[in-house]
């Protein structure tokens, strides 16, 4: 099962840029590289402004869900969920049961998309559903704001 920190790392280990589509995401976190939450979050930072929002997270999960739901029935089976893992996303190590809240053997769009993002829960200090570079810097965890587009010095 995924812990809060694991989901943060999953949500965060999304490589360095927002892919055009989930299947163009950077290599899986299993491939190594920087697994810091901020680096991963850059993938779902839709406007690449270095501020990570709940809306951007939900939009990213929505795109993953739509691609994985091959029969378009609004639910993911375990086999379809494997497509989420293989998408090269930060969810490569995700546990089906974590998302299947009612344990009925399928994940609805609501169960998947509405799951809180642990990265935001951990780093959003003022509760506005946005993680800013200042919040990352002030987190005391040694996290640095990502250096993606819009964040050049």
């Amino acid at each position: 099962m995924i812990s809060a920190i694991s989901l943060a790392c999953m949500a965060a280990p999304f490589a360095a840029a927002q892919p055009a589509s989930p299947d163009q995401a950077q290599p899986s976190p299993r491939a190594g590289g920087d697994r810091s939450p901020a680096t991963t979050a850059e993938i779902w930072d839709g406007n690449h402004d270095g501020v990570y929002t709940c809306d951007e997270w939900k939009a990213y999960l929505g795109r993953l869900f739509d691609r994985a739901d091959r029969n378009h029935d609004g639910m993911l089976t375990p086999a379809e969920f494997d497509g989420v893992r293989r998408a090269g996303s930060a969810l490569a190590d995700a546990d089906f049961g974590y998302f299947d809240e009612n344990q009925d053997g399928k994940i609805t769009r609501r169960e998947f998309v509405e799951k809180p993002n642990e990265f935001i829960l951990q780093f959003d200090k003022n509760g506005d559903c946005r993680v800013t570079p200042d919040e990352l810097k002030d987190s005391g965890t040694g996290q640095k704001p990502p250096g993606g587009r819009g964040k050049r010095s």
Side-chain angles (χ1 to χ4, degrees), residues 8-143:
C9 288
M10 287 185 326
F14 297 19
Q18 173 69 36
S21 67
D23 60 4
Q24 293 175 340
Q26 297 294 324
S28 156
R30 294 179 193 166
D34 185 355
R35 291 182 56 106
S36 73
T39 300
T40 301
E42 289 180 1
I43 287 178
W44 51 270
D45 179 13
N47 61 2
H48 308 288
D49 65 353
V51 176
Y52 311 106
T53 71
C54 292
D55 288 341
E56 288 172 324
W57 173 245
K58 288 177 182 182
Y60 180 77
L61 287 183
R63 291 189 301 273
L64 286 176
F65 186 94
D66 291 343
R67 285 202 45 78
D69 184 16
R70 289 188 206 117
N71 62 0
H72 308 289
D73 66 351
M75 295 180 235
L76 298 181
T77 64
E80 288 173 320
F81 188 74
D82 284 342
V84 170
R85 291 186 189 120
R86 287 191 305 268
S89 75
L91 300 175
D93 296 321
D95 180 61
F96 182 89
Y98 175 76
F99 288 95
D100 184 12
E101 291 176 5
N102 62 1
Q103 302 299 303
D104 64 352
K106 50 193 175 257
I107 300 170
T108 65
R109 182 179 187 81
R110 186 203 57 77
E111 285 175 317
F112 190 72
V113 173
E114 296 297 321
K115 198 57 113 172
N117 180 300
E118 296 297 332
F119 170 79
I120 292 175
L121 292 174
Q122 180 179 357
F123 295 104
D124 178 18
K125 302 304 181 199
N126 64 1
D128 65 354
C129 221
R130 297 165 33 97
V131 176
T132 65
D134 286 340
E135 285 173 314
L136 286 172
K137 186 172 37 177
D138 295 340
S139 69
T141 64
Q143 294 291 332

